[in-house]
Amino acid sequence: METVTITMKNPPALYLEADNVSPDAFAGKTAAQIGDLHVYEGNVTSTLGKYFEISGNAGATAADTKIVVKGDVKKVKYLGFKMSAGELVVEGSTDQYAGGWMTGGKMLVKGNVEAFAGTAMKGGELTIEGNAGNYLGAAYRGDWRGMTGGKILVKGNAGSDIGMYMLGGEMIINGNVDVHVCTHAEGGKVIIKGNAKTKIGGQMVDGTIFVFGTIDVMMPGFKPAGEVDMEVDGIKGKFAHYIGDTGERHKKKKGQIIYGNLYKKI
Amino acid sequence: MSEYIIKNGNVFDPVQGIRGDKADVAIKDGKIVDKVGSGAKVIDAKGKTVMAGAVEIHAHIAGPKINMGRIYRPEDKLFTCTPTKGIERMGGGASIPTTFKTGYEYAKMGYTTAMEAAMPPLFSRHVHEEIRDTPIIDEGAYPVFGNNWFVLEYLKNQEIENTAAYCAWLLRVTKGYAIKLVNPGGTEAWAWGLNCLSVNDPVPYFDITPAEIIKGLIEANEYLGLPHSMHIHPNNLGNPGCYETTLDTLRLAEGYKAKNKFGREQVMHLTHSQFHSYGGTNWGDFESKAKEITDYVNKNKNITIDTGNVTLDETTTMTADGPFEHHLTGLNHLKWANIDVEVETGSGVVPYIYSPSISVCAIQWAIGLEIALMMKDPMRCYITTDHPNAGPFTRYPRVIKWLMSAKAREAQINAFKHKDKVLSQTSIGTLDREISLYELAQMTRAGPAKSLGLSGMCGGLKPGMDADIAVYNFNPDKPVANPEDIEKAFTRCAHVFKCGVEVITNGELISNGNKRTLWVNAKVKDNPQVMRDINEKFLKYYSMTQANYEALGHHFVPNPYALEVDATQV
Ligand SMILES: [Zn+2]
């Protein structure tokens, strides 16, 4: 595997849309060619090389390419956009849409990410060592197709509206989350190791949420369905099971109505 | 203005009966002329296809429901934006493109005139602002009349003269082009939570039937002698078995003859026939009735139709047929917007994915093509996608490919997940007709122009007509190696002229032209009763005053082109 290191040298005045920072876009290119890839700063189209110092050449394919992003990229959006293979490591924090629409490979952010990380993600692994913003693994604005596959791990906290319109895949939040979890979800699994606030599973059609900590206010559309002993992400425990959202439409499978599931650790 | 001569192209012009002959087309002062001077700029069209600019007879491209779609579908712009480039402004959107992108895309495909198919009169100002911001192409808009309280009340008492006077007034104040009906009576019934699924279902409160509305508006249209005929989206759209309602609707035109000075011969235009040609009793036994519909239209020469081809894309459905959109959101569970327009009409918007792996969608695809292939007279059948309802207009080149190549159709049929169902529920597999370039020019130029009463102005290359010309990178003398070449050639023109101005060269925009708004100024005898009724309704029901209603002046209609109609002597 070849490694390309890009280091922020000339920070943008506006936010930078860097939808070409992915093993797929870099594959088969030399450092110079990578520097010529486009980025947008406001309504001006520019090149990656204007902002970043680039060292190392990419591998022949995305799978053979690792990218390391150094320096202050808090004002850079779309890192890892649509990546399908290979690796991407961001040493600091980054802005919105990190790992958005990714289909494979591994992306690691050592700092925090802003909103919309893992938007409409289909596959691969996205790990955030710090905190995640709002709309993690959600659908794009207006869309009804959120995360459908892959895995997101947040070691810190996450914001509000995570897993909105989630259809598949898995999300683990080691810390706490803000309001609205899995709104409109029709599949997938979200594990919250910390505390949750309100509107958990609102208008949820299908899918599963686990909360290890507290829930401030339960949705009135969820009703108790007993207690179960389970092992979740390697942790054994007793969980209170709720099904919902009973105010929403639900599919039927073999004559049985399929509900969304909410498990709260007792 | 500059002179041009387009030399040595293969010309297809049904207006003059030219079938691919090598000929020159000369342009002077915005018009097509017999000859030009030696200083004329030469466009080499050797080995290329030359046609008049295409004419769109039915698309939803300007106004509040399109904007509703744009507002509530930001995802339609995801990955479809194009940045500013030269004189081309930024654009975005796939099924509901921005106004600028709409103008550019039509022009790049060789379209130079387009009709917005449903203008809510109350929002005509909004419609005209969007038309104004859609560059290059000439546009008109059809106000909707089929659920309008004035029309329902006058027609209940069979007052054709009053209906005509009201229609003339509304066309004038909204700068409208034609009389459009959408689910006549049904959208008004929807305001009461009901619908009209047959032509005999009474409209609540008004106690009138769709059949009476349809016949009355045909009569009012011919009383006025408008350029276009009554243009109808019938009741019961999109339901299995709806073809019977469609046949009942078509039969209402029997006995009527066109009366106008524009050369139009039909009294009824049936739009997006694909959505109205369904048999079966449910989505399981859903089948094509394209044969029954086209058999009827083939025999009855006072009707024209357009196809409404399904393009197998993700799109945004939008119609003044409010109850249908509510029905659709119940089927696909995607987001629904509903709009009521006081006194006049309503509408709904729902995204839709025509998936090739769903048998109903594949059958709908086949029905649209069957209609075009079963219609004997291409001068009476026009290609549309009812943009964006059955697919975006930007897919016309793909529809043309399917119509011109049986091989391309076969490839698509083989790619369907439920191929057997498509073959058993339709007769698409038995049709080997391939539309010729001459027939294509009839279906996209001469035919729609004639149906719209514009045959003296556009849709042909006869000297004296507007110099609206499209040159395609398509050599009709060479066999088509790959059907994809057809789609490619019709996607981006080599040259496009709009009223003698070269607007597109090699698929790129070089001028924004001088777009016009087409509207119909129909004069009628003084009618104090109708004027009193209008005054009263504004005082009693409308939330705005008459003074704020009219679309007028440079802001809304900066470059008008009025077709004058005089019905004062009727
Ligand atoms: Zn329509």
Side-chain angles (χ1 to χ4, degrees), chain B residues 58 60 272 386 389:
Chain B
H58 186 112
H60 301 273
H272 38 71
D386 186 23
N389 286 304

Side-chain angles (χ1 to χ4, degrees), chain A residues 111-112 128-132 153-159 172-177 192-194:
Chain A
N112 305 324
I128 294 141
E129 296 197 334
N131 300 323
L153 170 62
V154 179
K155 296 192 176 167
N157 303 321
I172 301 173
I173 317 293
N174 284 351
N176 305 323
V177 299
I192 299 158
K193 302 267 181 77

